[in-house]
Amino acid sequence: MIGFIVWREAAGEKRRRPVVLREDSVLHMRFLKAEILRGEKTPETVLRRRVLSAGKRLHRLGITRAVLPEAFPYGEVLDGCGVRPVSTLALRRALAADWLGWELERQGRSPTAGRIALSAEQLTGELVRTVTEVALRHRYVLLDLPYGGEELCHHLRREYGISVLLNPEREQLEEAEALLLFEKREELRRRNPVVLPLYDESVPLPPISLLPAVEEKLPAGADRVLLVAALREAGALRTGQITFANK
């Protein structure tokens, strides 16, 4: 089970427990929710102590990952208890082709004419899906991959008639209109107009949009990306149900 940290406003109530744990569900996905009491004048030290208590209690119950409140400032306190935010890497990579199109459109660039480069250290299912989706949407695709690239390129050519340039020169990667990175590649100068570091969870995603029928079932105040990532991981949301809001 995944944890779910929420603030519970004091609203003048007395003798309320500062931390309450209970099971809850979102889109039929079960969470262990930790409600932390917070008032307008609650001292910072008290809030940190309550977050620490919630983290320890969650960890004792086997919870190591959690959805956090929006703009949550006590992540390091939970980390010290062994509770970390839900990973968003799988979500970012699943939405990489849409994210790329969103960024190109935001900058007023052609969604099909430019060269799109992808760089990864190993062949994974996530990479195969991303390369396939990008190659189906964009005319010129470059793939920087030490091993396994030949088989993937052959598959794309056989199944879709798509030609992908395998292992381009460094200059070609740096001059592509967009660069999608599965690893850091610090030696690249990143002069590309669009760079998507798909390994970096600190980079903001575009605003996520969901169907109104789904939207109304999501709790307010949660970190949206963490919540969507958790719901997608559990199968409560499908990738096709997740889009980015218009610019």
Side-chain angles (χ1 to χ4, degrees), residues 6 8 38 40 116 129 132 152 158 180 192 198 242:
V6 298
R8 189 175 84 253
R38 180 184 66 172
E40 291 183 3
I116 310 300
R129 287 191 297 272
T132 302
L152 175 56
R158 184 182 67 249
L180 281 65
N192 319 80
L198 301 176
I242 308 166

Side-chain angles (χ1 to χ4, degrees), residues 171-188:
E171 291 75 15
Q172 291 175 293
L173 291 175
E174 294 176 339
E175 293 172 2
E177 188 166 14
L179 177 61
L180 281 65
L181 295 170
F182 279 73
E183 281 82 28
K184 284 188 177 182
R185 293 299 304 274
E186 294 180 348
E187 75 278 11
L188 295 178

Side-chain angles (χ1 to χ4, degrees), residues 13-150:
E13 301 175 17
K14 298 181 179 180
R15 297 184 180 179
R16 293 294 302 273
R17 287 180 292 172
V19 178
V20 175
L21 265 57
R22 64 183 180 89
E23 284 195 23
D24 201 354
S25 65
V26 178
L27 299 180
H28 304 292
M29 178 183 174
R30 291 168 58 242
F31 291 91
L32 184 58
K33 180 181 288 187
E35 299 178 345
I36 302 175
L37 191 66
R38 180 184 66 172
E40 291 183 3
K41 298 181 180 180
T42 306
E44 177 81 7
T45 54
V46 173
L47 288 178
R48 292 180 69 89
R49 188 164 62 246
R50 290 175 180 175
V51 171
L52 179 64
S53 174
K56 288 181 176 179
R57 291 175 63 182
L58 286 172
H59 192 264
R60 281 199 298 269
L61 293 171
I63 303 298
T64 59
R65 300 182 299 152
V67 174
L68 308 181
E70 203 171 15
F72 188 66
Y74 306 109
E76 81 285 354
V77 176
L78 288 178
D79 188 59
C81 302
V83 179
R84 296 185 177 183
V86 171
S87 174
T88 64
L89 288 181
L91 175 67
R92 293 167 182 275
R93 293 171 180 181
L95 298 177
D98 290 341
W99 188 3
L100 169 62
W102 192 93
E103 288 290 352
L104 290 171
E105 186 177 344
R106 184 179 67 86
Q107 295 188 18
R109 299 180 180 276
S110 169
T112 59
R115 289 176 297 169
I116 310 300
L118 300 96
S119 178
E121 292 182 354
Q122 58 183 338
L123 185 66
T124 63
E126 290 177 327
L127 177 65
V128 171
R129 287 191 297 272
T130 302
V131 173
T132 302
E133 289 183 11
V134 170
L136 287 170
R137 303 183 193 189
H138 302 273
R139 190 175 304 170
Y140 306 108
V141 176
L142 293 67
L143 176 59
D144 175 47
L145 180 65
Y147 308 103
E150 295 85 357

